[in-house]
Amino acid sequence: MPADALAPLQWFFACPQFIEPLLADELTRYGAESVKIGHAGVQATGDLRFGYRAMLWSRLASRATLQLAHGFGKDQAELQTLIDSIDWQQHLRPEGTLKVRFFGLNDDIRNTQFGAQWVKDQIGDQFRSQHGIRPSVSNSPDLVVVVNLHKGNASIGIELNLHSLHQRGYRDVDTHAPMRENLAAAVLIRAGWLDMLVSDAATVALLDPLCGAGTFLIEGALMALDIAPGLLREHTVAERWLGHEPTVWGELYAEAEQRRNAGLANAERFEFWGNDSNPAAVMAARADWRSIDLPAARWTQCDLKAMPAPTLAAAGLVISSPPFSEDTNVVALRPVYDALGQWMASMPDTYRGALFVENEAPLALTNLFYSKEYRFLNSETESKLYTFDKLVQKERPTAWIADDLANRLNKNLRKLKSFIKQGHTDAYRVYDMDIPEYAIAVDRYADWLHVQEYAPPKTIDEKAAEQRLQQALLTLPEALGVDPKKIVLKQRRQQKGKSQYQKQGRAEQSLIVTEHGARFKVNLSDYLDTGLFLDHRPMRYWLQQHSKGKKVLNLFCYTGTASVHAAIGGANRVDSVDMSATYLEWAKDNFELNGLQHDPYRRYRFIQANVLDWLYDCDEYYDLIFLDPPTFSNSKRMQDTFDVQRDHIALINDAMRVLSPDGTLIFSNNFRKFKLDAEVESQYAVQDYRKQSLPLDFERDPKIHGCWLIRHK
């Protein structure tokens, strides 16, 4: 590597996706002769001085790679030719250390770990052939070699940033923060913060009312005070690289220190205010602020509704990232977004705003008019920045309470009034996509609501569908008199195979509901289903009424609710069979809830088995059999798949084989297109029980399940 720091070099600067244009502009300001925007990065031409300046000052880059060679790399032979074209002795001592970062695959290299080892060996062989020794591998190397393969081409370079450039030094590298520092800097730039800094305003304020870790405020202060991020790191550039020019680096570093001193001398022009309701967050943000000797800032810890008025600077930017989680429904978020919108709208006319949120966040709840939106990727999360040139709320706020939905809910409740008043159950359906625009099913479980969202048709705009869902979630508490915090939302999808038994969360939150004298544990948040199929309520009660003195078999028993009804009805024996250990334990809990746990005579058995195999081998007889199989199953404990339409004849025949001569098989399933084969009707006495099995709260959906009573002729 020539010592001439003015020689043109090829660089690649990596960055988060979607901020490449901002990085290109930044590198141009630092002296890049030409730039080319790529995927998650920018290529640039510039001398070593430019590269050092970019590593010292860049607020947007993640890594800086000096490109050494580019050419063909479709196999090992072509890649070796490219590696051998580089004189590695210009970059690394024979006794030095190196590390290889390898990306992509080719015809011969099908594993990146192998690729990194192979490249290291090729470089080592070059040293060994000339010096008899080779560099060793280290996690703290003198040189990091980067190899990229893509569509038969290869590029080889060396990474000259000693640590990731997004790290500024004010936060421990192991500390988790909602966003990286360079992403926060990009958001601030898109929000217009740099433009405000060069404006004629005598004083400029940066405010974050939900500051969390304080990243926006710290990055904004570094920009305002002209502090290079590289000054905050203990080490920025790879000084053990043989091409390193300490004189050039020292000059640039001294210049950056002078600019920092000048920026700090002008600190009185700026005001910084961070607030959060979480005292730990405020404490951590203040500690990071102080750790890099920034001027005094204003820190408060309070709820948005209790926020004091800001000091009135001549101009200001309110920027924040309001909370959002897929596990938190819009009802719980509304107070935060509403208060945030009101507080932002109270700012002076010279203030601007910006909100950084995940794509699904209910920004409309702020009732603010946004000016522009920008796309970002925060780690793996699609996010957007909304900017507000004027912090003005709508004179007529969006009507978030949907009158048509509220009216339909009230109509449904009037129809169910006598049913509810009878008190037979406190778990029932109150709404099931009665209005197509509100594509949800709503079930009440005691004082909770379980809301399932149907996937909207492809013809429906996603934003419109999301807004409708948010309106529904805001309407339900008022129309049904439910605490907004007691609403659980799940997206409803057709489930097949193993996914039917997979947990959906970690809340482990259960509650107790009642049904015809029985008590059941339901879980609204952790599983695809709640543990209680509400539409089978009449058939469970039928079992309770017809089980006295009988031997009952519950196949695919799920959480054993039908078994509990049979036991309460006085069955002499109840066998519950299912493949899931989780659901069998749940079934045992339901028995215990109903005082049925003490069973010295083994009247109640819980059998974990493949139902199809167990039934085929069964040599006992039963008076009542409840058979409600899944539509489809390919559980890992089953060797073959099960399809209810294809396999129901064989399944019913096996069940009828163990049914006593005077017994009854209750056969049901929820496959909407299911048709009972004529062979079954010709062989057995079949009573269509679909109408009688449909509860009042499901009458609007007669295809929710099919049900037949089957007996021997």
Side-chain angles (χ1 to χ4, degrees), residues 331-345:
V331 183
L333 294 174
R334 184 183 183 185
V336 177
Y337 282 71
D338 182 64
L340 179 61
Q342 291 187 38
W343 187 80
M344 291 176 69

Side-chain angles (χ1 to χ4, degrees), residues 90-166:
Q90 292 188 14
H91 305 284
L92 179 66
R93 293 172 290 109
E95 67 277 11
T97 58
L98 83 159
K99 180 179 181 179
V100 177
R101 300 176 66 232
F102 193 97
F103 303 94
L105 305 172
N106 64 17
D107 292 347
D108 297 327
I109 299 175
R110 311 304 300 168
N111 179 281
T112 56
Q113 186 175 0
F114 168 78
Q117 179 66 37
W118 183 82
V119 170
K120 179 190 73 68
D121 290 341
Q122 306 314 303
I123 297 173
D125 289 346
Q126 187 182 112
F127 280 94
R128 179 173 287 170
S129 65
Q130 299 183 37
H131 300 282
I133 60 173
R134 61 188 297 175
S136 59
V137 177
S138 171
N139 287 327
S140 180
D142 299 332
L143 193 71
V144 175
V145 177
V146 182
V147 180
N148 279 283
L149 302 181
H150 183 63
K151 294 184 177 180
N153 295 314
S155 63
I156 302 175
I158 53 177
E159 199 170 86
L160 293 190
N161 55 279
L162 194 60
H163 300 289
S164 178
L165 297 178
H166 84 267

Side-chain angles (χ1 to χ4, degrees), residues 192-207:
W193 179 238
L194 289 182
D195 297 333
M196 299 187 76
L197 298 181
V198 297
S199 68
D200 296 331
T203 53
V204 181
L206 182 65
L207 306 84

Side-chain angles (χ1 to χ4, degrees), residues 196-379:
M196 299 187 76
L197 298 181
V198 297
S199 68
D200 296 331
T203 53
V204 181
L206 182 65
L207 306 84
D208 188 345
L210 299 165
C211 69
T215 312
F216 283 140
L217 292 170
I218 296 176
E219 291 300 314
L222 296 179
M223 294 179 188
L225 302 173
D226 202 23
I227 299 176
L231 292 179
L232 307 179
R233 306 184 196 101
E234 187 175 352
H235 299 287
T236 292
V237 69
E239 298 180 2
R240 289 177 286 174
W241 168 51
L242 293 185
H244 175 54
E245 292 287 348
T247 302
V248 176
W249 176 253
E251 291 173 357
L252 293 171
Y253 199 90
E255 176 192 17
E257 288 183 317
Q258 292 175 0
R259 288 176 58 175
R260 173 172 61 181
N261 293 335
L264 290 172
N266 193 36
E268 291 185 358
R269 182 183 177 225
F270 306 105
E271 299 176 6
F272 303 98
W273 180 17
N275 174 79
D276 202 283
S277 61
N278 184 346
V282 175
M283 185 179 299
R286 293 182 68 177
D288 288 341
W289 182 277
R290 292 170 177 168
S291 69
I292 50 178
D293 296 324
L294 292 175
R298 183 183 185 187
W299 301 95
T300 54
Q301 185 258 306
C302 62
D303 186 83
L304 279 170
K305 293 182 178 180
M307 286 278 287
T311 304
L312 298 182
L317 172 65
V318 179
I319 186 167
S320 198
S321 182
F324 176 78
S325 170
E326 292 182 355
D327 299 329
T328 305
N329 66 57
V330 67
V331 183
L333 294 174
R334 184 183 183 185
V336 177
Y337 282 71
D338 182 64
L340 179 61
Q342 291 187 38
W343 187 80
M344 291 176 69
S346 70
M347 296 295 105
D349 293 340
T350 55
Y351 278 47
R352 303 170 61 181
L355 295 176
F356 183 78
V357 294
E358 293 186 25
N359 283 358
E360 294 78 15
L363 183 81
L365 292 177
T366 63
N367 279 313
L368 295 169
F369 291 101
Y370 71 86
S371 306
K372 294 181 181 179
E373 63 178 87
Y374 299 94
R375 187 181 182 188
F376 286 92
L377 193 64
N378 185 8
S379 185

Side-chain angles (χ1 to χ4, degrees), residues 16-17 46 128 270 293 380 451 460 506 519 543 681 688 709:
Q17 192 176 352
R128 179 173 287 170
F270 306 105
D293 296 324
E380 300 297 325
V451 181
I460 301 297
R506 299 180 181 274
R519 303 176 75 228
L543 269 175
E681 295 186 282
D688 190 329
L709 302 185

Side-chain angles (χ1 to χ4, degrees), residues 685-705:
V686 177
Q687 180 182 357
D688 190 329
Y689 215 71
R690 282 175 288 189
K691 185 175 182 180
Q692 298 92 318
S693 71
L694 201 64
L696 180 64
D697 47 326
F698 283 85
E699 282 186 348
R700 66 177 73 86
D701 187 11
K703 294 184 179 181
I704 188 69
H705 68 238

